[in-house]
PDB file of all heavy atoms in Angstrom:
ATOM      1  N   ILE A  40     -31.718  64.821  82.979  1.00 94.00           N
ATOM      2  CA  ILE A  40     -31.615  63.422  83.375  1.00 94.00           C
ATOM      3  C   ILE A  40     -32.981  62.979  83.929  1.00 94.00           C
ATOM      4  O   ILE A  40     -33.794  63.774  84.414  1.00 94.00           O
ATOM      5  CB  ILE A  40     -30.482  63.187  84.416  1.00 94.00           C
ATOM      6  CG1 ILE A  40     -30.764  63.908  85.732  1.00 94.00           C
ATOM      7  CG2 ILE A  40     -29.158  63.601  83.861  1.00 94.00           C
ATOM      8  CD1 ILE A  40     -29.723  63.614  86.817  1.00 94.00           C
ATOM      9  N   PRO A  41     -33.265  61.649  83.866  1.00 96.00           N
ATOM     10  CA  PRO A  41     -34.586  61.106  84.267  1.00 96.00           C
ATOM     11  C   PRO A  41     -34.864  61.366  85.766  1.00 96.00           C
ATOM     12  O   PRO A  41     -33.911  61.464  86.580  1.00 96.00           O
ATOM     13  CB  PRO A  41     -34.507  59.611  83.989  1.00 96.00           C
ATOM     14  CG  PRO A  41     -33.315  59.429  83.099  1.00 96.00           C
ATOM     15  CD  PRO A  41     -32.361  60.587  83.323  1.00 96.00           C
ATOM     16  N   VAL A  42     -36.159  61.446  86.111  1.00 96.00           N
ATOM     17  CA  VAL A  42     -36.582  61.631  87.505  1.00 96.00           C
ATOM     18  C   VAL A  42     -37.363  60.401  87.936  1.00 96.00           C
ATOM     19  O   VAL A  42     -38.261  59.946  87.263  1.00 96.00           O
ATOM     20  CB  VAL A  42     -37.487  62.910  87.613  1.00 96.00           C
ATOM     21  CG1 VAL A  42     -37.991  63.062  89.089  1.00 96.00           C
ATOM     22  CG2 VAL A  42     -36.700  64.163  87.215  1.00 96.00           C
ATOM     23  N   ILE A  43     -36.966  59.837  89.078  1.00 96.00           N
ATOM     24  CA  ILE A  43     -37.603  58.646  89.630  1.00 96.00           C
ATOM     25  C   ILE A  43     -38.365  59.058  90.894  1.00 96.00           C
ATOM     26  O   ILE A  43     -37.740  59.572  91.838  1.00 96.00           O
ATOM     27  CB  ILE A  43     -36.585  57.553  89.971  1.00 96.00           C
ATOM     28  CG1 ILE A  43     -35.763  57.123  88.742  1.00 96.00           C
ATOM     29  CG2 ILE A  43     -37.233  56.352  90.623  1.00 96.00           C
ATOM     30  CD1 ILE A  43     -36.544  56.390  87.661  1.00 96.00           C
ATOM     31  N   ASP A  44     -39.675  58.784  90.925  1.00 94.00           N
ATOM     32  CA  ASP A  44     -40.476  59.084  92.142  1.00 94.00           C
ATOM     33  C   ASP A  44     -40.462  57.839  93.000  1.00 94.00           C
ATOM     34  O   ASP A  44     -41.190  56.869  92.765  1.00 94.00           O
ATOM     35  CB  ASP A  44     -41.915  59.451  91.700  1.00 94.00           C
ATOM     36  CG  ASP A  44     -42.777  59.833  92.921  1.00 94.00           C
ATOM     37  OD1 ASP A  44     -42.354  59.546  94.072  1.00 94.00           O
ATOM     38  OD2 ASP A  44     -43.877  60.339  92.724  1.00 94.00           O
ATOM     39  N   PHE A  45     -39.635  57.874  94.069  1.00 92.00           N
ATOM     40  CA  PHE A  45     -39.376  56.625  94.775  1.00 92.00           C
ATOM     41  C   PHE A  45     -40.500  56.241  95.745  1.00 92.00           C
ATOM     42  O   PHE A  45     -40.533  55.109  96.245  1.00 92.00           O
ATOM     43  CB  PHE A  45     -38.046  56.750  95.563  1.00 92.00           C
ATOM     44  CG  PHE A  45     -37.399  55.387  95.704  1.00 92.00           C
ATOM     45  CD1 PHE A  45     -37.013  54.656  94.613  1.00 92.00           C
ATOM     46  CD2 PHE A  45     -37.175  54.881  96.957  1.00 92.00           C
ATOM     47  CE1 PHE A  45     -36.443  53.403  94.744  1.00 92.00           C
ATOM     48  CE2 PHE A  45     -36.592  53.633  97.110  1.00 92.00           C
ATOM     49  CZ  PHE A  45     -36.229  52.872  95.994  1.00 92.00           C
ATOM     50  N   ALA A  46     -41.457  57.162  95.959  1.00 90.00           N
ATOM     51  CA  ALA A  46     -42.588  56.816  96.819  1.00 90.00           C
ATOM     52  C   ALA A  46     -43.322  55.584  96.263  1.00 90.00           C
ATOM     53  O   ALA A  46     -43.854  54.767  97.001  1.00 90.00           O
ATOM     54  CB  ALA A  46     -43.531  58.005  96.932  1.00 90.00           C
ATOM     55  N   LEU A  47     -43.307  55.446  94.918  1.00 86.00           N
ATOM     56  CA  LEU A  47     -44.040  54.341  94.269  1.00 86.00           C
ATOM     57  C   LEU A  47     -43.401  52.997  94.567  1.00 86.00           C
ATOM     58  O   LEU A  47     -44.006  51.950  94.494  1.00 86.00           O
ATOM     59  CB  LEU A  47     -44.122  54.551  92.744  1.00 86.00           C
ATOM     60  CG  LEU A  47     -44.860  55.855  92.324  1.00 86.00           C
ATOM     61  CD1 LEU A  47     -44.778  56.038  90.818  1.00 86.00           C
ATOM     62  CD2 LEU A  47     -46.296  55.853  92.806  1.00 86.00           C
ATOM     63  N   PHE A  48     -42.084  53.006  94.870  1.00 83.00           N
ATOM     64  CA  PHE A  48     -41.362  51.755  95.142  1.00 83.00           C
ATOM     65  C   PHE A  48     -41.773  51.227  96.536  1.00 83.00           C
ATOM     66  O   PHE A  48     -41.929  50.011  96.722  1.00 83.00           O
ATOM     67  CB  PHE A  48     -39.848  51.989  95.095  1.00 83.00           C
ATOM     68  CG  PHE A  48     -39.058  50.676  95.210  1.00 83.00           C
ATOM     69  CD1 PHE A  48     -38.968  49.810  94.131  1.00 83.00           C
ATOM     70  CD2 PHE A  48     -38.440  50.325  96.407  1.00 83.00           C
ATOM     71  CE1 PHE A  48     -38.273  48.628  94.265  1.00 83.00           C
ATOM     72  CE2 PHE A  48     -37.718  49.184  96.539  1.00 83.00           C
ATOM     73  CZ  PHE A  48     -37.619  48.303  95.459  1.00 83.00           C
ATOM     74  N   THR A  49     -41.912  52.141  97.497  1.00 78.00           N
ATOM     75  CA  THR A  49     -42.158  51.704  98.848  1.00 78.00           C
ATOM     76  C   THR A  49     -43.634  51.586  99.178  1.00 78.00           C
ATOM     77  O   THR A  49     -44.025  50.809 100.033  1.00 78.00           O
ATOM     78  CB  THR A  49     -41.440  52.659  99.840  1.00 78.00           C
ATOM     79  OG1 THR A  49     -41.751  54.023  99.445  1.00 78.00           O
ATOM     80  CG2 THR A  49     -39.952  52.513  99.813  1.00 78.00           C
ATOM     81  N   SER A  50     -44.482  52.436  98.524  1.00 83.00           N
ATOM     82  CA  SER A  50     -45.899  52.420  98.915  1.00 83.00           C
ATOM     83  C   SER A  50     -46.849  52.340  97.759  1.00 83.00           C
ATOM     84  O   SER A  50     -48.065  52.526  97.944  1.00 83.00           O
ATOM     85  CB  SER A  50     -46.224  53.665  99.788  1.00 83.00           C
ATOM     86  OG  SER A  50     -45.871  54.833  99.023  1.00 83.00           O
ATOM     87  N   GLY A  51     -46.378  52.089  96.564  1.00 82.00           N
ATOM     88  CA  GLY A  51     -47.252  52.007  95.390  1.00 82.00           C
ATOM     89  C   GLY A  51     -47.899  50.650  95.266  1.00 82.00           C
ATOM     90  O   GLY A  51     -47.582  49.698  96.002  1.00 82.00           O
ATOM     91  N   THR A  52     -48.803  50.521  94.316  1.00 89.00           N
ATOM     92  CA  THR A  52     -49.421  49.214  94.011  1.00 89.00           C
ATOM     93  C   THR A  52     -48.368  48.331  93.303  1.00 89.00           C
ATOM     94  O   THR A  52     -47.267  48.802  92.946  1.00 89.00           O
ATOM     95  CB  THR A  52     -50.615  49.365  93.052  1.00 89.00           C
ATOM     96  OG1 THR A  52     -50.082  49.896  91.788  1.00 89.00           O
ATOM     97  CG2 THR A  52     -51.641  50.329  93.629  1.00 89.00           C
ATOM     98  N   LEU A  53     -48.701  47.059  93.122  1.00 91.00           N
ATOM     99  CA  LEU A  53     -47.791  46.120  92.474  1.00 91.00           C
ATOM    100  C   LEU A  53     -47.451  46.626  91.055  1.00 91.00           C
ATOM    101  O   LEU A  53     -46.286  46.577  90.623  1.00 91.00           O
ATOM    102  CB  LEU A  53     -48.447  44.732  92.397  1.00 91.00           C
ATOM    103  CG  LEU A  53     -47.545  43.549  92.600  1.00 91.00           C
ATOM    104  CD1 LEU A  53     -46.780  43.689  93.948  1.00 91.00           C
ATOM    105  CD2 LEU A  53     -48.301  42.249  92.576  1.00 91.00           C
ATOM    106  N   ASP A  54     -48.461  47.144  90.333  1.00 93.00           N
ATOM    107  CA  ASP A  54     -48.248  47.663  88.984  1.00 93.00           C
ATOM    108  C   ASP A  54     -47.326  48.890  89.003  1.00 93.00           C
ATOM    109  O   ASP A  54     -46.473  49.036  88.151  1.00 93.00           O
ATOM    110  CB  ASP A  54     -49.585  48.024  88.318  1.00 93.00           C
ATOM    111  CG  ASP A  54     -50.305  46.771  87.842  1.00 93.00           C
ATOM    112  OD1 ASP A  54     -49.699  45.670  87.859  1.00 93.00           O
ATOM    113  OD2 ASP A  54     -51.512  46.880  87.443  1.00 93.00           O
TER     114      ASP A  54
END
Side-chain angles (χ1 to χ4, degrees):
I40 66 175
V42 176
I43 301 291
D44 183 347
F45 210 61
L47 300 176
F48 186 77
T49 47
S50 58
T52 64
L53 219 55
D54 283 351

